[in-house]
Amino acid sequence: MLAQFTWQEFWLAVLLLTSLWYSGIILCYYRKELNLFLSKGSNSKEPLPHRWSDRVEEPNQKPEEHDGLLGISKPAEGTSTVSMGQISFGQDENAKSEQLGLIPDVLQELKEIFSIMEKEDGNKQDFFNMMEMVRAKYGQIGSNPRIVQINQFIAEHAPFHLSKEELENLWD
């Protein structure tokens, strides 16, 4: 008798019986979920009712304002909350402006000059010619209290010897 059925008929029968079985299971056990699925989820965002909801007190505060069971914790003595702009690690108020201002710019120019001199095998006269451009660009640097550190940087990185008088006259 089984020889009279083709494979195509067999698979069609399996498909039909399987779909009938799962349809019966869905209709018996998942009827509410099926109704929600077919109605595209009903746009109401109500929470599901709970048996215990009538025995629970509603909180007086919104969840964003809730401070926890014990309230807000007290910060440690001597600490405070500050914004990112108020954080600094230097003792001197001018330290921040020096880090972001004139001195780093001049040092960067000097590094570029030394790099050019190294590539082109420059001499002392080439250095003084390039320093005229730096002096014109940063004329106010001569009165800066950190000019000693700049001159020391120049003396350490120059490929030739510079006397104290030459270093002092460099910014005049």
Side-chain angles (χ1 to χ4, degrees):
M1 170 142 174
L2 290 176
Q4 295 174 352
F5 294 112
T6 64
W7 281 106
Q8 187 177 18
E9 292 171 344
F10 171 76
W11 287 116
L12 180 63
V14 167
L15 179 69
L16 286 173
L17 289 174
T18 304
S19 61
L20 281 173
W21 175 259
Y22 281 109
S23 299
I25 296 291
I26 290 172
L27 289 175
C28 289
Y29 295 106
Y30 298 103
R31 187 173 300 191
K32 291 179 185 177
E33 289 84 355
L34 180 64
N35 287 338
L36 285 175
F37 178 74
L38 293 177
S39 67
K40 303 288 185 207
S42 80
N43 294 332
S44 66
K45 302 276 180 171
E46 295 180 18
L48 295 174
H50 299 288
R51 288 180 277 151
W52 45 265
S53 63
D54 58 337
R55 291 178 270 158
V56 175
E57 294 180 15
E58 291 294 321
N60 295 336
Q61 298 176 334
K62 294 180 181 176
E64 301 85 42
E65 298 171 1
H66 185 65
D67 297 330
L69 291 175
L70 301 175
I72 298 174
S73 62
K74 182 180 175 185
E77 189 174 327
T79 60
S80 62
T81 304
V82 296
S83 68
M84 286 299 290
Q86 295 173 326
I87 297 175
S88 73
F89 296 102
Q91 298 293 337
D92 188 10
E93 285 294 320
N94 295 328
K96 188 174 183 179
S97 64
E98 286 180 5
Q99 289 176 350
L100 301 175
L102 192 62
I103 302 297
D105 293 342
V106 170
L107 290 176
Q108 183 62 35
E109 292 279 341
L110 290 171
K111 289 176 187 176
E112 291 173 7
I113 287 173
F114 292 136
S115 174
I116 292 169
M117 288 183 62
E118 184 180 324
K119 288 178 186 173
E120 298 181 5
D121 200 28
N123 57 19
K124 195 182 261 192
Q125 187 58 38
D126 295 332
F127 174 73
F128 286 127
N129 290 338
M130 287 189 252
M131 282 304 293
E132 286 180 22
M133 293 185 293
V134 173
R135 188 179 336 136
K137 190 173 181 181
Y138 303 103
Q140 69 271 24
I141 194 74
S143 62
N144 194 302
R146 294 192 57 197
I147 195 69
V148 175
Q149 285 91 356
I150 293 173
N151 286 342
Q152 184 180 5
F153 178 81
I154 293 171
E156 290 174 2
H157 292 86
F160 42 79
H161 177 69
L162 289 168
S163 66
K164 266 190 173 178
E165 295 84 28
E166 289 174 325
L167 284 173
E168 290 174 3
N169 294 332
L170 203 57
W171 304 104
D172 293 334

